[in-house]
Amino acid sequence: MISFENVAYQYPKARTTAINDVSFDLEEGSFHYLTGPSGAGKTTLFRMMYMDLKPTRGRLTVFNKNIAGLSADEIAILRRRMGIVFQDFRLLPHLTVEENVSLPLTLNGAMDKKQRDCVKEIIDWVGLSHKSRELPAFLSGGEKQRVAIARAVVNRPRLLIADEPTGNVDASMGRRIMHLFTELNKHGTTLLIATHDRSLITDCPAPSIVVENGHLSRLSSVA
Ligand SMILES: Nc1ncnc2c1ncn2[C@@H]1O[C@H](COP(=O)(O)OP(=O)(O)OP(=O)(O)O)[C@@H](O)[C@H]1O
Ligand SMILES: [Mg+2]
């Protein structure tokens, strides 16, 4: 589904490489955590997976396509199969909670009743029905994060990548979100979650891809 082969990435003007000689395959239907210290390169790896950054060396294939030669339109089409939870949420400030969550479904035009019901159901699941007509500026950090999660899953993506998705919510909401993610995984969604939260991994065990200082240090099969 995603394959990194000896991939490196250096940010423009940076003196050191953020990612260096990273190789791994994400198999279709798999569930992994992505762990490692702050500054290790987790967000950089995610940005490459959603094709916001192209490797400066090596080969990256996403949905079996080498991303080096893809046009902006081809990238946009591939991204529609992905749910992405950004570390900094990236909600559109002029849209309400409901409109933000609906975005992946409205890209192709107006929603039908089933899709509208789906939006309501997912907003309810993350506990924000009472805020569905609010703008993001009126939400707490944890509420914004829950909107970002609802938006990422509403389309039942083939691939879900989530960058610290429970960093701003309490433990019980964290478990609820993990339940949602693992249910999607059981139905075939490939799942990769970057986290520092050991309790998440203990509660919901899955192998970890560990990145340190831009290198893959190990691929642990135990939680
Ligand atoms: N836009 C940028 N320009 C230059 N360097 C950057 C940029 N973004 C990140 N870096 C550098 O790349 C390295 C990896 O950063 P990255 O954000 O991928 O780490 P991370 O593992 O996601 O950290 P955290 O756990 O704090 O979110 C760091 O050394 C960082 O300083
Ligand atoms: Mg990060």
Side-chain angles (χ1 to χ4, degrees):
M1 164 146 289
I2 289 201
S3 169
F4 285 78
E5 284 172 52
N6 307 107
V7 166
Y9 184 79
Q10 180 155 16
Y11 284 99
K13 298 193 188 128
R15 262 176 279 135
T16 54
T17 50
I19 291 296
N20 220 331
D21 201 25
V22 161
S23 301
F24 67 90
D25 280 327
L26 266 193
E27 302 284 337
E28 175 137 32
S30 62
F31 168 18
H32 289 89
Y33 291 101
L34 181 63
T35 62
S38 180
K42 302 180 294 297
T43 298
T44 308
L45 284 175
F46 272 149
R47 289 182 68 186
M48 285 197 268
M49 287 183 213
Y50 64 80
M51 299 165 283
D52 184 32
L53 303 175
K54 288 189 177 177
T56 43
R57 257 187 296 127
R59 179 185 155 96
L60 170 59
T61 59
V62 176
F63 296 117
N64 300 319
K65 294 214 158 59
N66 183 344
I67 75 157
L70 294 181
S71 67
D73 285 349
E74 288 168 319
I75 287 175
I77 289 166
L78 286 188
R79 258 191 214 143
R80 286 186 199 176
R81 300 191 208 161
M82 297 184 182
I84 309 164
V85 182
F86 299 96
Q87 193 166 13
D88 55 359
F89 318 136
R90 310 251 182 115
L91 304 180
L92 296 191
H94 58 288
L95 298 184
T96 65
V97 165
E98 194 170 289
E99 288 163 347
N100 264 287
V101 173
S102 303
L103 271 176
L105 301 170
T106 50
L107 285 174
N108 297 321
M111 292 188 291
D112 59 26
K113 170 152 187 345
K114 199 168 154 223
Q115 289 173 316
R116 284 196 301 274
D117 288 347
C118 234
V119 168
K120 287 207 165 57
E121 193 186 330
I122 192 69
I123 292 175
D124 191 35
W125 178 274
V126 297
L128 288 175
S129 294
H130 60 302
K131 303 253 166 148
S132 57
R133 294 189 199 286
E134 292 283 13
L135 292 173
F138 295 92
L139 302 179
S140 73
E143 287 169 342
K144 285 183 200 161
Q145 187 155 45
R146 286 184 270 155
V147 178
I149 287 164
R151 180 180 61 185
V153 301
V154 72
N155 212 10
R156 289 185 171 253
R158 300 294 314 139
L159 170 69
L160 178 62
I161 54 181
D163 201 351
E164 293 285 346
T166 60
N168 294 271
V169 298
D170 60 45
S172 110
M173 182 51 73
R175 280 194 293 274
R176 207 172 157 78
I177 288 165
M178 283 308 296
H179 180 67
L180 182 66
F181 287 173
T182 50
E183 278 301 307
L184 280 171
N185 178 246
K186 279 182 200 151
H187 288 91
T189 295
T190 306
L191 190 55
L192 184 66
I193 302 175
T195 187
H196 287 116
D197 185 350
R198 293 298 312 172
S199 68
L200 211 69
I201 305 178
T202 313
D203 284 353
C204 250
S208 290
I209 297 169
V210 186
V211 52
E212 271 170 45
N213 203 10
H215 291 277
L216 218 63
S217 68
R218 71 197 151 91
L219 195 71
S220 81
S221 57
V222 284

